[in-house]
Amino acid sequence: MGVMSEAFSVADAAELAERDAAILDFEDRWFTSAVPKDQAIMEHFSLSSARYYQRLNQLIDTPEALAYKPLLVKRLRRMRTQRQAARSARRLHS
């Protein structure tokens, strides 16, 4: 099964733009970096943190990203939904 899923991932990566695949790969392992995440984003992608997160949020809504890194994409979607719910709750209680 591992070989099959590995081949599936390689095929799906081909459907993703190279930079988008790199963003997903980075997001999956950024915590191993010795430098702060903002600095690593600038070094790897020449993007501000705001632009990086805008792209990441667009990317995790695509079926290609879900097929390429399903666990990561599902976790990021869940975290985004939790943040949105927390913001809505704060507004309602303000």
Side-chain angles (χ1 to χ4, degrees), residues 32-51:
T32 61
S33 177
V35 298
K37 188 174 183 182
D38 292 349
Q39 182 181 341
I41 289 168
M42 184 57 76
E43 289 173 2
H44 284 84
F45 304 107
S46 298
L47 291 173
S48 69
S49 293
R51 292 281 181 219

Side-chain angles (χ1 to χ4, degrees), residues 16-86:
L16 276 177
E18 188 175 323
R19 187 172 189 174
D20 290 342
I23 287 173
L24 291 172
D25 291 338
F26 174 82
E27 191 62 26
D28 207 17
R29 62 175 163 63
W30 70 266
F31 50 87
T32 61
S33 177
V35 298
K37 188 174 183 182
D38 292 349
Q39 182 181 341
I41 289 168
M42 184 57 76
E43 289 173 2
H44 284 84
F45 304 107
S46 298
L47 291 173
S48 69
S49 293
R51 292 281 181 219
Y52 170 84
Y53 287 113
Q54 285 174 345
R55 181 63 197 137
L56 180 62
N57 274 305
Q58 292 169 344
L59 188 55
I60 66 174
D61 288 330
T62 67
E64 295 83 8
L66 181 61
Y68 180 61
K69 293 263 187 198
L71 294 177
L72 173 68
V73 169
K74 288 177 185 177
R75 180 171 52 85
L76 293 173
R77 287 177 178 177
R78 187 173 57 251
M79 291 169 56
R80 179 178 62 187
T81 300
Q82 290 169 345
R83 283 191 307 271
Q84 289 170 340

